[in-house]
Amino acid sequence: MSNTLPPWFWIAYYLFLAVTIGVAIYYVSTRKEIRLSLLTIWVDSTVPIVGLLNSIGRFDELNEFQHLVNQLHQGALWAWYACSGYLFLAVWWIMLFLKIIARQKKIVTH
């Protein structure tokens, strides 16, 4: 049996992806930052698929994260895409939270 990450990680991971895609779809439907939201939907949809397809043939002693890091060190394009995608999603969430905080401060001061 192959080595894998713990169940709590997978629950948090897929919850993160589901909430991200839900918020991005909401932004598209309300016509807020349509291009960035569409890009977020694309990245949120493709990065897990690319990661899954490229992790199928990994060595049994490596879990998914170790395989990703190993492939990143070897210069695999898919690993760079996956890491860039995760970084993009993290920055997208940070920017979203900063906008919400700024909007709340603006409401409070008026």
Side-chain angles (χ1 to χ4, degrees), residues 2-6 10 55 58-69:
S2 66
N3 197 8
T4 189
L5 294 167
W10 292 114
S55 291
R58 72 181 196 278
F59 295 116
D60 284 344
E61 58 272 354
L62 297 177
N63 66 30
E64 293 85 354
F65 179 72
Q66 292 167 334
H67 179 65
L68 175 65
V69 171

Side-chain angles (χ1 to χ4, degrees), residues 23-88:
V23 171
I25 289 171
Y26 171 77
Y27 267 65
V28 169
S29 68
T30 58
R31 301 198 183 276
K32 295 179 182 177
E33 301 183 27
I34 294 175
R35 289 182 183 165
L36 187 60
S37 298
L38 288 173
L39 179 61
T40 301
I41 292 169
W42 173 260
V43 170
D44 192 14
S45 301
T46 59
V47 166
I49 294 169
V50 168
L52 174 71
L53 291 176
N54 287 289
S55 291
I56 290 173
R58 72 181 196 278
F59 295 116
D60 284 344
E61 58 272 354
L62 297 177
N63 66 30
E64 293 85 354
F65 179 72
Q66 292 167 334
H67 179 65
L68 175 65
V69 171
N70 183 23
Q71 291 296 300
L72 194 62
H73 284 285
Q74 292 182 16
L77 187 60
W78 76 268
W80 283 100
Y81 176 72
C83 289
S84 299
Y86 293 134
L87 180 62
F88 171 80

Side-chain angles (χ1 to χ4, degrees), residues 10-21:
W10 292 114
I11 292 168
Y13 175 73
Y14 286 114
L15 186 62
F16 170 76
L17 293 176
V19 171
T20 301
I21 206 161

